[in-house]
C-alpha cells in the first residue's frame, strides 16, 4: 500500500515537473509559427527590389557620370521622327542623335554651368530617394512580426517613413520632368529655324510593371497572414479570459 502510494506520488511529481517543459515547448512552437517574415522571404523580396532598381540606377547613374565628366546630358526624344541629321545645332548647344531600341536619344552639349549643376543635383537626389525607398520597403516587410511586442506601432512607424519617402520620390520624378522641359524650352524651342524643334526628357530607366505587381503581392500576402495571426491570438485570449472569468465566478 505504501509502495503504491509512493509510486503514484512520484508519478504525479513527474507530471507536474513535465508540465512547464511542455508549456515551454508549446510556447516556443507558437512563437515559431508566429515569427512573421522569415529571412528567406526577406532576402527574396530584397532581390526583387534590386532587380527593379537596377534599370533606373544604371540609366540615371551613367547619365550623371557623363554629365559630371563633361560628356553631355543624355535626353530621350519622343517627337524627333522628322529629324534626319545626326548632329543638330541650337546656337551654342549641340545635340548628337542616336537611335535606341524604340526611342531616339540625344546627347546635349553646351549646357550652362547652372543647368548642369541643378540637373546633376536633381538626378542625385532622385537616386538617393530610390535607394532610401528600397531600404524602407525592406524594413517595413521585416517589421511584419506579430509575435514581437509593439508590432503594430512599429509597423505604422516604418510605414509612415516609407510613405514620405515614396512621396519624395514622386516629387523628385516631377522635378526631373520639369528640368527636362526647362532645358527643352531654353535651348531647343525656337532656337533653330525650321520644323526640327525637339522636346526631350531625362531617361529614368525601363519600368517593369510585372515585377512591381509581384512585390506588391508579396507585401499583401505578408500583411494578410499577420492579420490572420493577430485574429487567432485575440480569439484565443478571449477564450482564455472567458474561462478564467467563469472559474472566478465559481470560486466567488
Amino acid at each position: 500500500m505504501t509502495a503504491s502510494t509512493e509510486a503514484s506520488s512520484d508519478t504525479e511529481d513527474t507530471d507536474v515537473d513535465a508540465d512547464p517543459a511542455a508549456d515551454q515547448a508549446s510556447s516556443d512552437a507558437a512563437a515559431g509559427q508566429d515569427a512573421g517574415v522569415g529571412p528567406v522571404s526577406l532576402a527574396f523580396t530584397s532581390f526583387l527590389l534590386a532587380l527593379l532598381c537596377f534599370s533606373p540606377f544604371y540609366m540615371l547613374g551613367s547619365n550623371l557620370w557623363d554629365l559630371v565628366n563633361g560628356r553631355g546630358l543624355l535626353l530621350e526624344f519622343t517627337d524627333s521622327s522628322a529629324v534626319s541629321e545626326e548632329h543638330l545645332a541650337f546656337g551654342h548647344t549641340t545635340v548628337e542623335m542616336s537611335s535606341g531600341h524604340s526611342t531616339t536619344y540625344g546627347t546635349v552639349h553646351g549646357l550652362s554651368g547652372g543647368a548642369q549643376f541643378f540637373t546633376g543635383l536633381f538626378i542625385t537626389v532622385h537616386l538617393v530617394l530610390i535607394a532610401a525607398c528600397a531600404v524602407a520597403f525592406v524594413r517595413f516587410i521585416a517589421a511584419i512580426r506579430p509575435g514581437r511586442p509593439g508590432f503594430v506601432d512599429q509597423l505604422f512607424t516604418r510605414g509612415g517613413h516609407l510613405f514620405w519617402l515614396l512621396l519624395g520620390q514622386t516629387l523628385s520624378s516631377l522635378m526631373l520632368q520639369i528640368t527636362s522641359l526647362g532645358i527643352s524650352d531654353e535651348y531647343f524651342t525656337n532656337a533653330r529655324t525650321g520644323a526640327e524643334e525637339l522636346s526631350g526628357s531625362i531617361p529614368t530607366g525601363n519600368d517593369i510593371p510585372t515585377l512591381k505587381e509581384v512585390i506588391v503581392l508579396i507585401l499583401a500576402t505578408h500583411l494578410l497572414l499577420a492579420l490572420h495571426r493577430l485574429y487567432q491570438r485575440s480569439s484565443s485570449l478571449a477564450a482564455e479570459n472567458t474561462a478564467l472569468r467563469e472559474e472566478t465566478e465559481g470560486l466567488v
Side-chain angles (χ1 to χ4, degrees), residues 27-194:
S27 63
D28 291 341
Q33 294 175 357
D34 204 21
V37 181
V40 176
S41 179
L42 194 62
F44 180 68
T45 307
S46 302
F47 174 72
L48 292 181
L49 281 174
L51 288 180
L52 186 64
C53 296
F54 175 77
S55 180
F57 255 89
Y58 176 77
M59 182 65 73
L60 290 172
S62 59
N63 202 359
L64 178 64
W65 181 258
D66 291 340
L67 183 64
V68 170
N69 289 304
R71 299 171 186 169
L73 176 67
L74 182 68
L75 293 181
E76 179 181 346
F77 300 101
T78 57
D79 56 350
S80 58
S81 58
V83 178
S84 58
E85 301 179 23
E86 294 183 357
H87 297 274
L88 302 178
F90 298 89
H92 298 286
T93 306
T94 58
V95 181
E96 297 180 5
M97 306 299 294
S98 60
S99 298
H101 178 67
S102 58
T103 56
T104 302
Y105 296 97
T107 304
V108 183
H109 301 279
L111 296 177
S112 64
Q116 294 182 25
F117 172 77
F118 284 107
T119 303
L121 178 63
F122 293 147
I123 293 177
T124 303
V125 171
H126 191 68
L127 288 174
V128 171
L129 286 174
I130 290 176
C133 287
V135 173
F137 188 86
V138 173
R139 293 183 73 247
F140 178 75
I141 291 254
I144 306 176
R145 303 181 68 89
R148 178 182 299 173
F151 148 70
V152 177
D153 293 336
Q154 189 175 23
L155 193 65
F156 272 96
T157 301
R158 295 188 179 182
H161 294 164
L162 179 60
F163 170 77
W164 289 112
L165 286 173
L166 288 174
L167 180 60
Q169 185 186 2
T170 303
L171 295 177
S172 178
S173 301
L174 181 60
M175 287 302 303
L176 286 180
Q177 294 179 3
I178 294 175
T179 303
S180 302
L181 291 176
I183 292 176
S184 299
D185 292 339
E186 179 70 20
Y187 295 97
F188 303 149
T189 304
N190 298 325
R192 176 185 170 116
T193 59

